[in-house]
Amino acid sequence: ARVIPATPSRLREVEEAGNEMGVELAGQLGQATGGGTREALGTALEALGFAPERTDEGTLSRYRLTTCPYADAVRENPGVVCTLHRGIVRGVLGSISPDARLTGFEPKDPDIAGCIVEVTLEEDRA
């Protein structure tokens, strides 16, 4: 994270790398991501160490990440690390539910945690 400048072109590359990592993660979790899109994304976020808490409002699911296992790296270069994480979420979603969209991604102070990830499903499915 220290050596990658947070320029627009590099951040696009970082997000694409994160997307590929998310696809790989979804494949590694395999059956553990069963049970619907919401549960599958929660499983992936847990596997990354974020301890997510989920709330649902119709087709919108909001995950509050209660821990930041990458806090040291985020302090060094928040743009790069958080962009990588956003890409990972996109990759997981693309693998488990192509009709789900990442509609919100709000990084927070890594020492406090509480980042917000919002996902909207095309239709209301668990």
Side-chain angles (χ1 to χ4, degrees), residues 29-102:
L29 293 174
Q31 295 295 64
T33 59
T37 301
R38 292 173 170 152
E39 290 78 13
L41 181 57
T43 298
L45 292 170
E46 285 176 24
L48 292 168
F50 289 109
E53 293 177 348
R54 186 183 93 209
T55 56
D56 300 319
E57 298 172 20
T59 60
L60 175 73
S61 291
R62 183 175 293 114
Y63 300 82
R64 184 178 159 280
L65 310 181
T66 64
T67 62
C68 182
Y70 311 104
D72 290 339
V74 172
R75 277 187 229 100
E76 292 282 335
N77 197 342
V80 167
V81 177
C82 295
T83 297
L84 179 67
H85 175 218
R86 184 175 59 231
I88 291 171
V89 171
R90 287 185 194 279
V92 169
L93 283 175
S95 293
I96 61 174
S97 183
D99 64 336
R101 292 180 294 120
L102 178 63

